[in-house]
Amino acid sequence: VQLVESGGGLVQAGGSLRLSCAAPGRTFTLSNSAMGWFRQAPGKERQFVATMHWAGHSTYYADSVKGRFTISRDIAKNTLYLQMNNLKPEDTAVYYCAAEPFGTGQNPQSSYKYWGQGTQVTVSS
């Protein structure tokens, strides 16, 4: 398994969750990869949430989550995170972690080669 997400759950509006993405069986090199979080709500297409290069030079966010979500990584743990604060019902979705070897963090999701199985986030009003 290349990528494994965890940390999803049910939370009330205004609450927080932190998603984690581990890469236990990866066959790519994290240090030269872009990593990202994407989400898919019921009946909707999967959409971009946040991306970054593993080197940590830049981060990118969807307008809908700017100021509320933070993407980060722990190099020692080889783990990607998504800290989600002030959650809203419209954030309800399955959240996916993805990796793009040799990516920059600025490419579309179609460029991401490896995907996790997803973790459900449900925000109640």
Side-chain angles (χ1 to χ4, degrees), residues 81-121:
Y81 300 102
L82 184 68
Q83 178 66 45
M84 306 186 294
N85 297 327
N86 190 21
L87 282 160
K88 304 176 181 181
E90 51 264 43
D91 294 319
T92 295
V94 177
Y95 283 71
Y96 297 91
C97 170
E100 179 192 6
F102 308 107
T104 63
Q106 296 178 277
N107 295 331
Q109 60 174 298
S110 58
S111 299
Y112 285 73
K113 182 176 181 180
Y114 301 105
W115 292 82
Q117 81 289 349
T119 185
Q120 176 71 47
V121 171

Side-chain angles (χ1 to χ4, degrees), residues 4-5 27 39 42 58 72-73 111 115 124-125:
V4 180
E5 304 97 335
T27 57
R39 67 186 182 187
S58 298
S72 64
R73 86 280 186 254
S111 299
W115 292 82
S124 62
S125 58

Side-chain angles (χ1 to χ4, degrees), residues 1-12:
V1 177
Q2 300 276 2
L3 300 171
V4 180
E5 304 97 335
S6 61
L10 173 64
V11 64
Q12 288 188 332

Side-chain angles (χ1 to χ4, degrees), residues 54-71:
W54 190 258
H57 296 147
S58 298
T59 56
Y60 306 92
Y61 296 94
D63 288 342
S64 59
V65 307
K66 279 182 183 176
R68 300 188 298 123
F69 291 11
T70 302
I71 188 172

